[in-house]
Amino acid sequence: MKALRLSSSNLILDSTAADPAPEPGWALIQPILMGVSSSDIAAARGLFGFQGILGHEFVGKVLSINDQPDNPLVGSRVVGSINIVCRSCDMCRSGFSNHCRQRRVLGLCDADGCFAERFALPAANLVSVPDAVSDQVAVFSQVASVAVHARQMVHVKTKPYITVLGDGVTGLLIAQSMAKLNASVRLLGHHPERFGLCERWGIKHRHIDDVGRRQDQDIVVDCTGSPDGATLATRLSRPRGKIILKSTPAPVPSSSFTENSWAVDPVFVQTVVANELEVVGCRCGMISEGLKALAEGSLDVTPMISRPMRLDEGVSALRAAIDRTNLRIFMEP
């Protein structure tokens, strides 16, 4: 089968990849639509040390489930959690399976991903897509789950001031999600052409360079993927404010997939200590909650849908995703 594989820092379309061999209780899935995210680009550049088939955002059809031929998921359209967990360690038993001691992550850490003609994932990770939800909407379920999860980290007592840094898909969806709270929400980004989306959703927006650093925000969510974003968050947060770090700083954008390095700005640490800021990491939410938000229309992804490329064009698709003028790149098998 064909698969987009990362091997020794080389990204190639492997036309002789072996078919996956699902473990007991795992599903064999044929992707229908795949999304290319900044995490895929970071992995291709070597940030995670991953080797294998890339890809973690998908809508797919379940072809079979090992040892479970009568499982109702067989033949259905699904999305799925990217975290492959043991379900037996202390974290899994405590209800924190996203932090499983032996966690693998689809297409990012120790598990081949979905950028292939077929891939495998535990059936327990899968959620059926309602008939009324299109493939083009459902493929956003993973990032939508993050937006819902970020909102759940905010406990509103009064009407807080919330700033979201970054106008990529994650930032745009988190801003939408935060706007459901009793809060004053604004988004700061570098791409004025995306500010029209904020107007569509009734969210304040400004260019990131046009905003003062008055340290008056109750909550700042960093979705920039840059170490500078975390430092800027400290300069916007009021003393004893809260910073939610969504994105892992990625290598400096380039036209290639070579590895780059980054370091935490000491100003970030100094300001966190001096202003007694609360810093919280935010990674994955529940895929079912992301799909539900999309199905209910509480998160609007319609303006982010673009014409998909083909898996055969996978290397070009990742290069196209580097281009910041493209909000989201998709692939079909």
Side-chain angles (χ1 to χ4, degrees):
M1 69 172 187
K2 296 176 183 177
L4 195 61
R5 181 182 299 279
L6 183 66
S7 177
S8 302
S9 299
N10 293 318
L11 186 65
I12 61 169
L13 181 66
D14 184 356
S15 59
T16 60
D19 270 286
E23 302 172 28
W26 283 48
L28 181 65
I29 304 167
Q30 180 183 53
I32 299 170
L33 191 63
M34 301 159 277
V36 182
S37 80
S38 58
S39 294
D40 300 313
I41 297 168
R45 287 173 167 158
L47 184 63
F48 307 132
F50 175 71
Q51 299 288 303
I53 299 171
L54 290 173
H56 64 283
E57 294 185 357
F58 70 90
V59 180
K61 178 182 178 181
V62 177
L63 300 178
S64 62
I65 298 178
N66 194 356
D67 295 340
Q68 299 178 24
D70 298 325
N71 191 306
L73 286 173
V74 175
S76 66
R77 229 173 17 124
V78 296
V79 292
S81 170
I82 65 175
N83 295 297
I84 302 167
V85 302
C86 72
R87 304 188 182 277
S88 60
C89 70
D90 59 324
M91 298 305 292
C92 288
R93 294 196 309 270
S94 300
F96 298 105
S97 58
N98 272 0
H99 301 281
C100 171
R101 304 290 185 186
Q102 302 177 59
R103 183 183 74 242
R104 294 178 285 162
V105 184
L106 183 72
L108 295 173
C109 178
D110 299 328
D112 281 338
C114 65
F115 289 170
E117 292 181 300
R118 290 168 294 281
F119 67 100
L121 198 61
N125 286 39
L126 304 178
V127 180
S128 292
V129 178
D131 292 340
V133 180
S134 69
D135 298 331
Q136 292 80 6
V137 170
V139 75
F140 287 92
S141 293
Q142 171 60 32
V143 66
S145 75
V146 172
V148 174
H149 184 46
R151 185 182 72 225
Q152 291 170 342
M153 291 183 165
V154 176
H155 303 288
V156 174
K157 294 181 180 179
T158 59
K159 186 173 183 176
Y161 289 96
I162 300 176
T163 291
V164 178
L165 300 176
D167 52 12
V169 171
T170 301
L172 291 167
L173 288 183
I174 287 180
Q176 281 191 62
S177 187
M178 292 294 183
K180 308 302 179 185
L181 300 170
N182 179 32
S184 176
V185 180
R186 67 176 180 179
L187 180 138
L188 305 183
H190 286 103
H191 303 88
E193 66 273 13
R194 298 181 186 175
F195 294 161
L197 298 179
C198 294
E199 292 178 6
R200 174 188 177 109
W201 303 317
I203 297 170
K204 300 174 185 175
H205 53 85
R206 295 281 297 278
H207 194 283
I208 207 164
D209 294 331
D210 294 340
V211 177
R213 281 38 171 174
R214 292 193 299 270
Q215 295 187 318
D216 58 358
Q217 297 297 293
D218 298 293
I219 299 160
V220 181
V221 187
D222 175 32
C223 307
T224 62
S226 163
D228 294 336
T231 302
L232 175 58
T234 66
R235 292 172 173 163
L236 297 174
S237 300
R238 64 165 174 80
R240 294 205 170 184
K242 184 172 188 175
I243 295 174
I244 299 176
L245 298 180
K246 168 54 200 86
S247 52
T248 302
V252 176
S254 69
S255 60
S256 66
F257 300 109
T258 56
E259 181 177 0
N260 290 273
S261 61
W262 58 272
V264 175
D265 186 343
V267 173
F268 171 79
V269 178
Q270 292 164 3
T271 311
V272 167
V273 173
N275 288 352
E276 297 184 329
L277 299 174
E278 179 185 1
V279 180
V280 181
C282 174
R283 192 169 50 86
C284 296
M286 294 181 63
I287 195 76
S288 58
E289 293 185 350
L291 178 59
K292 180 182 178 182
L294 294 169
E296 293 175 345
S298 61
L299 292 177
D300 175 22
V301 297
T302 304
M304 306 179 200
I305 296 171
S306 63
R307 182 181 62 83
M309 301 175 71
R310 305 289 297 181
L311 180 61
D312 285 346
E313 304 171 285
V315 176
S316 296
L318 260 75
R319 290 204 170 95
I322 294 172
D323 185 347
R324 300 294 185 175
T325 61
N326 294 317
L327 196 53
R328 197 52 135 212
I329 296 295
F330 301 102
M331 290 190 296
E332 294 177 336

